[in-house]
C-alpha cells in the first residue's frame, strides 16, 4: 500500500500503451453498456509508481477506481480475467451495486475462466435443480439479454 501523501495525480492511459488491457477493457465495456446503459465507459488510469513503471487501475469515467492495480499479464485470457475482476471491484464499490447481475437469478456474477474462455459465473438459485451456471462469455452479456432464458421450462400454450 502506498502512503497517502505519496499519491500523485493519476493520468489517463493512452491507446496502445497496454494493448492486452485495452482489448480486455473494450470487452468489459460492452458488458457495462449492455447492463448499465447510463454509465459511461470504464477507462484505464495510471499512477506513476517509479521511473517507467505505472500502477494501472480500471476506473469509472470520472477517474474513480477501487481495489488493486492490474498486474502484468501474458495473454488475452489473463488480461480479460484481470480487467473484469478490477472492473467489478470498481463498479461495485464506487456505484454501490452488484455488477454484473444475472437476470435469471438476480445475483451478482463473477469472472471465471471456463476452459480458456473468460466468462461470467452465477451461483444459481437456492432450490435444487437450479445450479450454478455460466451466464455468458465476458463481453457478450448483450447477446444473452436478447435471447430467451435458457433454463426456463417451456409452457404449453393451449
Ligand atoms: Zn444465474
Amino acid at each position: 500500500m502506498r502512503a497517502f501523501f505519496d499519491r500523485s495525480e493519476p493520468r489517463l492511459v493512452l491507446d496502445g500503451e497496454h494493448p492486452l488491457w485495452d482489448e480486455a477493457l473494450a470487452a468489459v465495456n460492452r458488458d457495462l453498456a449492455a447492463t448499465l446503459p447510463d454509465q459511461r465507459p470504464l477507462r484505464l488510469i495510471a499512477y506513476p509508481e517509479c521511473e517507467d513503471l505505472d500502477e494501472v487501475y480500471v476506473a469509472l469515467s470520472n477517474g474513480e477506481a477501487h481495489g488493486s492495480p492490474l498486474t502484468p499479464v501474458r495473454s488475452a485470457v489473463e488480461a480479460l480475467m484481470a480487467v473484469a475482476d478490477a472492473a467489478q471491484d470498481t463498479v461495485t464499490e464506487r456505484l454501490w451495486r452488484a455488477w454484473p447481475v444475472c437476470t435469471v437469478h438476480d445475483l451478482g456474477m463473477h469472472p471465471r475462466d471456463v476452459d480458456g474462455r473468460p466468462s461470467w459465473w452465477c451461483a444459481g438459485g437456492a432450490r435444487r435443480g437450479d445450479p450454478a451456471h455460466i451466464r455468458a462469455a465476458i463481453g457478450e452479456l448483450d447477446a444473452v439479454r436478447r435471447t430467451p432464458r435458457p433454463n426456463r421450462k417451456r409452457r404449453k400454450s393451449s
Side-chain angles (χ1 to χ4, degrees):
M1 259 293 149
R2 107 201 348 266
F4 181 73
F5 58 80
D6 190 29
R7 201 96 179 148
S8 35
E9 283 298 299
R11 66 177 180 83
L12 208 53
V13 171
L14 303 174
D15 279 352
E17 264 187 272
H18 299 288
L20 284 176
W21 288 341
D22 284 344
E23 201 179 315
L25 190 63
V28 171
N29 271 331
R30 283 200 297 278
D31 286 346
L32 187 73
T35 51
L36 300 177
D38 293 339
Q39 278 299 312
R40 292 172 57 206
L42 303 170
R43 60 193 208 184
L44 298 177
I45 59 165
Y47 287 91
E49 173 68 2
C50 54
E51 276 179 22
D52 37 37
L53 261 184
D54 285 335
E55 281 190 339
V56 177
Y57 294 82
V58 176
L60 299 180
S61 61
N62 66 5
E64 288 181 352
H66 187 89
S68 310
L70 296 170
T71 51
V73 293
R74 285 154 299 178
S75 70
V77 169
E78 280 183 14
L80 195 44
M81 290 296 293
V83 168
D85 207 39
Q88 179 164 54
D89 263 1
T90 290
V91 171
T92 303
E93 294 298 326
R94 293 295 174 179
L95 300 182
W96 283 66
R97 60 185 305 161
W99 181 84
V101 170
C102 171
T103 50
V104 176
H105 296 109
D106 201 25
L107 287 174
M109 300 186 286
H110 298 281
R112 183 167 286 195
D113 183 343
V114 183
D115 299 326
R117 196 165 187 237
S119 302
W120 292 115
W121 176 89
C122 165
R127 286 171 295 124
R128 284 177 95 194
D130 201 5
H133 65 118
I134 298 298
R135 184 73 174 127
I138 294 173
E140 296 178 11
L141 277 181
D142 64 329
V144 83
R145 287 169 68 84
R146 283 194 235 103
T147 51
R149 296 175 178 185
N151 51 8
R152 179 143 297 191
K153 288 211 178 82
R154 193 180 294 168
R155 291 248 161 78
K156 276 185 188 138
S157 55
S158 61

